[in-house]
Amino acid sequence: MSEPVWRVDLPDEAATRALAVELAGMVGAGDLVTLSGDLGSGKTTFARAMIRRLTGDPDLEAPSPTFTLMQVYDSEAFPIVHADLYRVKDPSELAELGWDEAAEGALVLVEWAERAGSALSADRLDIALFADSRRGPDFRRAEIVGHGAAARRLIRLRGAQALLERCGWDEAERIHMQGDASTRAYELLVKPDGDKAVLMIAPPRPDGPPVRGGKPYSALAHLAENIRPFVAMDEALIAQGFSAPRIFAADLEVGLAVLEYLGGEGVAGSAGPIPERYAEAALLLAQLHARDLPRDIIYSGGTYRIPPYDLEALLIEVELLVEWYGPHVAGLQLASGARAQYENAWRSVLARPLAEPATWTLRDYHSPNLLWLPGRQGVQRVGVIDFQDCVLGPPAYDVVSLLQDARVTVSDELELKLLGGYALARKKAQPEFDMASFAAAYAIMGAQRASKILGIFARLDKRDGKPAYLAHIPRVKSYLKKNLGHPALADLKAWFDQYLPQLFAPEDPA
């Protein structure tokens, strides 16, 4: 079946340049953009506008490569190859040009791409430009078709355009926002009058390879497969009186939402946690955990059932430590017997928190996902922006996420103070709250979370090429060591003593 064609009328050259700028937001390293059309149809104008946008140089000359055949530019993120194959008679000539070497890891813009034959990737964005003198000397019609991964991105781009028009944000400037380790992307929307919103781009998650029982990791760990859990939990948190971003409009099929902008002020600063803000964030959790919360969420998109943070999910997460941290950071390859002992030890210790009443476990309740809203009152001053992976699980998990922050060092003194404040608030709301039992669950879930994060940070480095997360490993190791000191984890600590003794060794000063 052929891919759908997106037709765009371009009344003048400025409109052609604007389209190029818009499409620049969906292309990157390794992508191919083919440009076709008669001589003078505007292919070079389009390519030049895209190159200027991606290099950040609005005055870059970027001449037509008709005679040089290929021109290479450097952007901050990747090289850009602009080629004109009009004078190429046979695809074999591309090898003489050094085509493969120049195109590797680059964004490639090709005019007269049909001259390359089968040498070009089947995954591409095709843009055809047609003149129509009856509608003016500068009028062009663009016909855009995406193939493979480019087709999915083009659908998202068109969906975003339609969504922004629907909610009155189509005239806003779109500025890429720095993301984290997730697959989601964000753009800051700024209207001419200064009003701001956020465009969240959260396409459906493709299934990864099966890892156990024919299920991928995301299914076993109960990670959100699409944007619906975010929308459901956003509306649910607001209904509970907490500060989640209001949703101005959403496309649940494509995975797009225009969100309220809650500002950029966090709960931590350059010197680390800001104690009064962390204290308010801990009180928010105490209030949440003291409530009788529904499992089935009625929201604008229907009904969403929060999945359980069950033993299967908790075990597949701690397995990341032996899968990624062990071999790639600690230099340890474990035999099947040692891995079985590891799993059995975890099964034993996790039985305790899993036996406690479950609550909404937001799962990523830590400094990167918490904003400070000084214009609001009480716990509403804490803005919560990441909750799509919410599960029904132990209350201790989110408290650990906050007080043993993987990216910000929380001192032992501050941790104990905040833990005490949380416990007092829980005890006041629920006289039956048992601090000793909670402390054991806190240590267990702290060890579980630290083991998972060590594996995730190692995976981000080894598999995803993001070594920056390795800088946080010493901090997370210190949390794991501390948690393993609780008597409830004695058997698990014995496993670490035997198989990962380097975890407890002093850090190398280097």
Side-chain angles (χ1 to χ4, degrees):
M1 186 176 69
S2 61
E3 300 290 353
V5 179
W6 179 26
R7 294 180 173 85
V8 183
D9 285 347
L10 306 170
D12 52 31
E13 190 173 296
T16 300
R17 294 195 299 268
L19 178 63
V21 168
E22 184 176 7
L23 290 173
M26 64 165 282
V27 296
D31 288 341
L32 171 65
V33 178
T34 66
L35 298 164
S36 61
D38 293 335
L39 288 170
S41 62
K43 298 186 295 297
T44 300
T45 297
F46 183 98
R48 182 183 298 116
M50 181 173 278
I51 293 167
R52 286 176 172 175
R53 175 69 170 189
L54 293 170
T55 59
D57 184 351
D59 300 316
L60 186 68
E61 187 175 351
S64 169
T66 301
F67 297 103
T68 59
L69 298 185
M70 190 165 61
Q71 189 77 31
V72 181
Y73 303 90
D74 288 321
S75 73
E76 186 175 334
F78 48 81
I80 303 167
V81 175
H82 181 199
D84 185 328
L85 306 185
Y86 181 72
R87 296 192 296 122
V88 170
K89 304 301 182 184
D90 188 275
S92 62
E93 297 176 32
L94 294 178
E96 299 174 16
L97 294 173
W99 176 269
D100 290 340
E101 294 82 0
E104 185 175 359
L107 168 67
V108 180
L109 307 174
V110 185
E111 301 181 37
W112 300 95
E114 61 272 15
R115 304 286 176 100
S118 60
L120 300 181
S121 169
D123 275 9
R124 65 189 187 278
L125 186 68
D126 290 336
I127 302 169
L129 297 168
F130 303 94
D132 187 344
S133 58
R134 295 172 301 174
R135 302 184 65 176
D138 296 323
F139 176 88
R140 300 291 184 270
R141 185 180 78 255
E143 294 188 356
I144 308 166
V145 181
H147 301 272
R152 294 187 291 273
R153 279 182 274 163
L154 186 61
I155 289 170
R156 289 199 295 272
L157 178 69
R158 295 184 65 184
Q161 184 184 58
L163 185 69
L164 294 174
E165 289 175 357
R166 197 168 82 216
C167 62
W169 284 89
D170 51 311
E171 296 298 323
E173 180 184 4
R174 296 168 59 175
I175 304 168
H176 174 73
M177 299 174 72
Q178 183 65 39
D180 199 358
S182 75
T183 57
R184 298 179 303 279
Y186 300 88
E187 293 180 4
L188 179 64
L189 306 174
V190 184
K191 284 185 175 181
D193 63 4
D195 280 355
K196 296 178 181 178
V198 173
L199 174 65
M200 182 172 76
I201 305 166
R205 180 196 298 271
D207 283 342
V211 295
R212 181 177 296 168
K215 297 180 181 179
Y217 177 87
S218 59
L220 293 166
H222 301 308
L223 302 180
E225 301 289 343
N226 51 56
I227 201 173
R228 293 177 187 274
F230 178 91
V231 175
M233 293 310 305
D234 182 272
E235 294 180 14
L237 286 166
I238 291 174
Q240 290 288 333
F242 300 116
S243 292
R246 289 175 296 139
I247 298 175
F248 300 137
D251 185 327
L252 301 183
E253 297 303 321
V254 177
L256 300 164
V258 179
L259 310 175
E260 176 186 12
Y261 177 64
L262 296 180
E265 194 172 349
V267 298
S270 57
I274 301 173
E276 59 271 22
R277 298 182 183 182
Y278 266 65
E280 210 63 57
L283 286 177
L284 186 157
L285 289 178
Q287 288 190 21
L288 184 71
H289 297 163
R291 299 180 186 180
D292 184 15
L293 300 168
R295 178 178 182 181
D296 292 314
I297 306 299
I298 310 299
Y299 75 111
S300 58
T303 301
Y304 173 68
R305 168 158 282 207
I306 302 174
Y309 211 4
D310 52 23
L311 182 62
E312 184 179 53
L314 292 164
L315 287 176
I316 200 66
E317 290 181 338
V318 297
E319 194 173 293
L320 294 172
L321 181 136
V322 295
E323 286 284 347
W324 294 94
Y325 176 81
H328 299 303
V329 177
L332 176 70
Q333 293 286 351
L334 289 170
S336 58
R339 293 181 64 140
Q341 291 176 39
Y342 178 74
E343 181 177 322
N344 289 335
W346 273 113
R347 284 181 181 275
S348 178
V349 299
L350 289 169
R352 185 167 184 168
L354 286 174
E356 299 290 330
T359 187
W360 291 356
T361 302
L362 304 182
R363 221 171 185 180
D364 284 307
Y365 191 85
H366 54 168
S367 59
N369 299 325
L370 301 174
L371 298 171
W372 186 249
L373 312 175
R376 303 187 186 186
Q377 299 296 316
V379 297
Q380 287 194 336
R381 290 178 293 177
V382 179
V384 187
I385 60 172
D386 193 316
F387 35 74
Q388 67 283 332
D389 293 326
C390 178
V391 285
L392 283 179
Y397 186 90
D398 279 348
V399 184
V400 166
S401 299
L402 177 68
L403 306 190
Q404 295 186 3
D405 196 316
R407 292 166 177 78
V408 177
T409 299
V410 180
S411 68
D412 290 346
E413 180 184 7
L414 180 58
E415 181 185 6
L416 286 173
K417 181 178 179 181
L418 295 171
L419 196 54
Y422 170 88
L424 285 174
R426 286 290 305 274
K427 191 74 174 176
K428 183 177 180 181
Q430 298 171 294
E432 70 277 13
F433 176 77
D434 184 346
M435 184 56 200
S437 178
F438 181 83
Y442 181 87
I444 293 168
M445 299 315 300
Q448 192 274 347
R449 178 171 166 79
S451 298
K452 171 177 71 173
I453 291 175
L454 287 173
I456 289 174
F457 285 173
R459 185 177 66 185
L460 284 166
D461 171 50
K462 185 67 177 180
R463 188 191 71 183
D464 302 335
K466 299 178 179 180
Y469 292 91
L470 295 180
H472 302 302
I473 279 183
R475 179 184 303 111
V476 181
K477 283 173 60 179
S478 71
Y479 292 147
L480 178 55
K481 288 185 247 183
K482 178 167 58 178
N483 291 315
L484 289 172
H486 193 283
L489 292 106
D491 290 344
L492 186 62
K493 184 179 184 301
W495 184 92
F496 277 95
D497 286 337
Q498 181 176 356
Y499 294 106
L500 262 179
Q502 57 266 60
L503 183 73
F504 303 99
E507 292 293 335
D508 183 347

